[in-house]
Amino acid sequence: MPALGAMALSSAALRNYAVTLNAGLAETGVYAGTLTIGGLIERGDLHVMAGANTAVFGEIEGRTLDPDMLADAAWEMYRDRGRAEAVFEKV
């Protein structure tokens, strides 16, 4: 989605920071992680905006992610602390 391309650099920096921070703090018991979200979150503000502006964003059908799945993944990451990153995207 070209209209959201400006967020790519800051998102990459945040991902790198979280993964590095998690590795650096692992011995202290502190956990850091990131969910990389490559799509529109259903029922979210961007989902509503993009659905109302298909001339700018194109059709959003098939490009949305279930927020309940994202929440479950975030909770699992926090609870298990076995991975510093989860990626969600619609291909």
Side-chain angles (χ1 to χ4, degrees):
M1 293 177 26
L4 300 177
M7 295 189 321
L9 292 175
S10 59
S11 296
L14 181 59
R15 178 225 173 253
N16 189 49
Y17 179 64
V19 171
T20 304
L21 186 63
N22 185 61
L25 295 174
E27 298 294 318
T28 69
V30 175
Y31 173 76
T34 179
L35 294 177
T36 301
I37 301 171
L40 295 171
I41 301 172
E42 295 171 5
R43 305 185 306 265
D45 293 343
L46 288 177
H47 181 257
V48 172
M49 179 187 67
N53 295 295
T54 56
V56 174
F57 294 98
E59 293 297 324
I60 64 170
E61 183 141 350
R63 294 174 24 196
T64 61
L65 300 166
D66 182 352
D68 297 327
M69 287 179 55
L70 297 172
D72 288 344
W75 177 248
E76 177 187 325
M77 289 173 68
Y78 171 76
R79 184 190 64 220
D80 297 343
R81 298 173 182 232
R83 58 185 173 149
E85 178 182 29
V87 177
F88 292 87
E89 59 188 332
K90 287 290 187 170
V91 180

